[in-house]
């Protein structure tokens, strides 16, 4: 199968037709599976298919060199595309898995019931139960150090319930020793389909991603953003008090404020708010949450207790209302259309993001009046707020440190990921603060021009318009008043509407757009963000001063297009060089005498 890359139109970095590449890969893999060739040849073919696929995405040196690098996706996008592709084979097990598990069933008879059940179980269930078993066996190695043969070990049973029967019977030492051997054998078994072990980045590419991630983290830790807590909560509370009818529209963008507010008070991802998350009340300010995204070896019914920054009853009510809106009527059909031969080329998260991310991120920028803010900032801000409100006061966290708190509350499996969610700090924080509704300044301004209306147009036309506009602003102070919305609600001539809007522009906060010449609502100057991110050049300087990786600059180019190189020597003595040029992340690896030689070769290869 030919895995040639097709690009869409437009300027700038071009996007790969990933869906087409994936469909071809799936068809080729299935063709190999169904063939009668020996398994060893199948394995070789899987590896070759993966190599072709990766070449089409990123690695083909014939296409991606010199100016061709402008056509290549970023290293991060490459990583994401490989991850998305691997997930499409999640429902397939390795060809040797069931055979190897049968051997273990015969060898470890105490686990034979579990292992035998895997012969007919769904792949997702096998992964979950395998992960749980490995976790139990690892804990046993810790438990054995605390076990006392002459004690009832009541506390130990409470801490390690999975080993309860072995502790009670007094067989725990032998059982744990058997478990250690089983754990070693399980670690040797391949669970995933063979193709998944080849759809991965090589060591150099992973090292480059690690450097970029580390630099991003250093950037965040040296560019904290301070949020005015009270202004932030006032803005969110204002959204929840907006009448329901203002979200009841067929346009996707109409639900952006409510989806943003729900994410802000719960710290959940976009897909969890819109589709997968399930919530039931636990207390006044907490809910039991299931349906977390990004979980491959966790049951859909796994429960987490999370805080809500508003009354949990209101939160659940608004979640149900959001999902009942007409903009979601076609979502299930859209998802189904993206299923190809039972394989989801675009998973639910990707589909939801493609439909709603633009509108939600646009609203986020307007809410903060800051073009650098994005929707997922709500998770980091939420984590900071609940940390300040509950970490020191809730007994639930009395025996853990703040890293565990952040990982738990955000639903991360490791304590490292949460480090990226500490960029925001709070000003004017008061755990007992009750949000207030700000004064409706637009309504007051409109009331001040009441007396102008009778003389503005004949037959009370302006009065009719004015009364309708005031009713809209009273119900929703942020309502967008346009020529179309007025003419749809009030039967008047277009010239009267234009005259009215011209007269009421100041009261409504409207101004002529330089691009269109139309009257448009001007964004309010928000004071939520009270400390901006430092200039990127300053951040880069701080990062370079603190990092152990060597850096250098190319001197023969203009300052505006001067790339900054990051280089390090790898274990095999070759060099890894990473740099960004014209907005494109680039990587080079190869032999070199020193850092200068490595950078010169990287740049020469780029040209």
């Amino acid at each position: 199968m030919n895995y040639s890359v097709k690009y869409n139109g437009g300027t700038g970095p071009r996007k790969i037709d990933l869906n087409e590449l994936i469909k071809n890969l799936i068809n080729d893999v299935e063709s190999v599976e169904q063939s009668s060739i020996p398994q060893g040849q199948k394995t070789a073919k899987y590896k070759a298919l993966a190599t072709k696929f990766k070449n089409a995405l990123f690695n083909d040196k014939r296409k991606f060199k010199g100016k061709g690098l402008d056509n290549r996706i970023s290293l991060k996008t490459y990583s994401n595309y490989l991850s998305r592709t691997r997930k499409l084979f999640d429902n397939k097990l390795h060809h040797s898995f069931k055979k190897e598990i049968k051997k273990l069933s015969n060898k470890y008879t105490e686990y034979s019931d579990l292992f035998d059940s895997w012969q007919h179980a769904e792949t997702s269930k096998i992964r979950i139960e395998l992960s749980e078993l490995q976790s139990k066996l690892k804990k046993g190695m810790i438990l054995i150090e605390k076990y006392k043969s002459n004690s009832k070990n009541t506390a130990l049973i409470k801490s390690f319930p999975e080993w309860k029967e072995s502790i009670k019977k007094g067989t725990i030492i032998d059982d744990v020793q058997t478990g250690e051997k089983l754990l070693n054998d399980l670690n040797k078994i391949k669970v995933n389909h063979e193709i998944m072990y080849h759809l991965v980045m090589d060591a150099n590419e992973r090292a480059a991603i690690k450097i970029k991630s580390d630099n991003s983290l250093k950037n965040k830790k040296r560019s904290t953003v301070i949020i005015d807590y009270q202004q932030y909560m006032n803005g969110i509370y204002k959204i929840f008090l907006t009448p329901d009818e203002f979200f009841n529209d067929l346009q996707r963008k109409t639900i952006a404020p409510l989806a943003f507010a729900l994410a802000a008070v719960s710290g959940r991802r976009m897909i969890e708010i819109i589709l997968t998350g399930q919530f039931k009340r636990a207390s006044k300010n907490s809910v039991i949450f299931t349906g977390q995204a990004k979980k491959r070896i966790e049951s859909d019914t796994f429960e987490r207790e999370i805080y809500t920054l508003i009354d949990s009853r209101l939160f659940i009510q608004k979640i149900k209302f959001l999902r009942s809106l007409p903009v979601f009527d076609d979502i299930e059909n859209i998802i189904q259309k993206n299923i190809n031969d039972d394989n989801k080329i675009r998973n639910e998260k990707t589909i939801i993001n493609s439909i709603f991310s633009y509108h939600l991120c646009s609203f986020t920028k307007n809410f903060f009046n800051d073009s650098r803010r994005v929707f997922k900032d709500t998770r980091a801000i939420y984590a900071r707020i609940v940390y300040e409100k509950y970490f020191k006061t809730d007994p639930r966290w009395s025996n853990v440190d703040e890293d565990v708190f952040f990982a738990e509350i955000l639903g991360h499996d490791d304590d490292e990921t949460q480090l990226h969610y500490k960029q925001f700090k709070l000003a004017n924080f008061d755990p007992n603060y009750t949000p207030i509704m700000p004064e409706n300044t637009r309504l007051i301004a409109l009331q001040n021009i009441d007396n102008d209306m009778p003389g503005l147009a004949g037959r009370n036309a302006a009065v009719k318009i004015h009364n309708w506009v005031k009713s809209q602003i009273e119900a929703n102070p942020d309502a967008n008043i346009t020529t179309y919305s007025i003419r749809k609600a009030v039967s008047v001539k277009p010239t009267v509407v234009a005259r009215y809007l011209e007269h009421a522009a100041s009261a409504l906060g409207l101004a002529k757009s330089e691009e269109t010449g139309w009257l448009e609502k001007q964004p309010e100057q928000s004071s939520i963000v009270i400390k901006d991110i430092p200039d990127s050049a300053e951040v880069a300087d701080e990062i370079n001063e603190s990092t152990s990786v060597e850096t250098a600059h190319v001197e023969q180019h203009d300052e505006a297009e001067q790339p900054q190189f990051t280089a390090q020597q790898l274990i095999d003595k070759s060099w890894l060089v990473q740099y960004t040029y014209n907005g494109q992340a680039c990587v080079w690896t190869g032999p070199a005498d020193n850092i200068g030689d490595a950078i010169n070769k990287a740049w020469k290869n780029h040209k």
Side-chain angles (χ1 to χ4, degrees), residues 168-324:
K168 284 187 173 182
K169 292 177 181 178
T171 60
I172 186 65
I173 294 177
D174 291 339
D175 291 348
V176 168
Q177 289 177 344
T178 300
E180 288 185 43
K181 296 176 183 177
L182 173 57
L183 185 60
N184 289 331
D185 286 342
L186 287 173
N187 290 336
K188 297 174 185 176
I189 292 179
K190 285 187 174 182
V191 180
N192 303 314
H193 190 282
E194 183 68 31
I195 191 71
M196 294 177 70
Y197 295 99
H198 305 294
L199 290 171
V200 295
M201 304 173 78
D202 64 31
N204 291 336
E205 291 163 346
R206 291 196 299 272
I209 284 282
K210 181 67 166 58
I211 292 173
K212 191 171 183 179
S213 177
D214 289 346
N215 283 348
S216 173
L217 180 57
K218 290 171 184 175
N219 186 332
K220 289 181 178 180
K221 288 186 172 295
R222 288 164 174 78
S223 56
T224 55
V225 181
I226 299 179
I227 299 295
D228 188 313
Y229 170 74
Q230 296 184 15
Q231 294 289 345
Y232 181 66
M233 293 307 299
N234 286 346
I236 293 170
Y237 190 68
K238 184 177 177 182
I239 295 171
F240 283 120
L241 291 181
T242 301
D244 289 348
E245 56 264 27
F246 285 93
F247 304 113
N248 195 3
D249 194 293
L250 290 174
Q251 296 187 67
R252 309 284 191 197
K253 65 181 181 180
T254 58
I255 60 97
L258 186 55
F260 170 89
L262 288 166
V265 299
S266 65
R268 298 310 95 190
R269 299 179 178 90
M270 184 188 305
I271 181 71
E272 295 161 355
I273 291 295
I274 289 176
L275 187 65
T276 64
Q278 299 297 320
F279 307 90
K280 58 183 179 181
R281 190 171 188 269
S283 69
K284 181 180 179 181
N285 288 109
S286 67
V287 293
I288 302 300
F289 163 60
T290 56
Q292 176 156 326
K294 293 193 173 182
K295 291 294 172 185
R296 184 166 175 250
I297 53 173
E298 179 177 283
S299 169
D300 290 340
T301 60
F302 185 87
E303 297 182 341
R304 298 176 186 274
E305 183 176 353
I306 62 170
Y307 300 107
T308 55
L309 302 182
I310 58 172
D311 189 289
S312 57
R313 286 193 183 91
L314 176 61
F315 173 77
I316 294 173
Q317 174 191 330
K318 290 294 186 180
I319 278 278
K320 291 179 178 178
F321 168 71
L322 175 76
R323 294 174 181 176
S324 71

Side-chain angles (χ1 to χ4, degrees), residues 550-556 563-568 575-579 588 590-607:
E550 297 175 274
T551 61
H553 295 271
V554 175
E555 297 180 355
Q556 64 267 36
Q564 179 174 307
F565 290 83
T566 302
Q568 70 175 119
W575 285 83
L576 167 69
V577 179
Q578 183 185 19
Y579 59 100
W588 175 89
D593 296 332
N594 50 51
I595 181 175
D597 185 37
I599 290 172
N600 286 331
K601 286 183 176 180
W603 187 243
K604 183 177 180 181
N605 180 73
H606 179 99
K607 294 189 292 183

Side-chain angles (χ1 to χ4, degrees), residues 445-470 496 499-505 507:
L446 287 171
Q447 291 170 341
N448 289 336
I449 59 173
D450 283 347
N451 295 333
D452 299 345
M453 293 304 111
L456 192 63
R459 298 184 180 180
N460 292 324
V463 174
K464 290 179 182 179
I465 296 174
H466 192 58
N467 288 338
W468 178 83
V469 170
K470 286 194 296 181
V496 177
R499 197 181 310 156
Y500 172 81
L501 286 177
E502 192 75 32
H503 188 81

Side-chain angles (χ1 to χ4, degrees), residues 572-589:
D572 62 358
K573 303 302 181 182
S574 65
W575 285 83
L576 167 69
V577 179
Q578 183 185 19
Y579 59 100
T580 300
Y581 185 67
N582 285 342
Q584 182 74 29
C586 306
V587 176
W588 175 89
T589 58

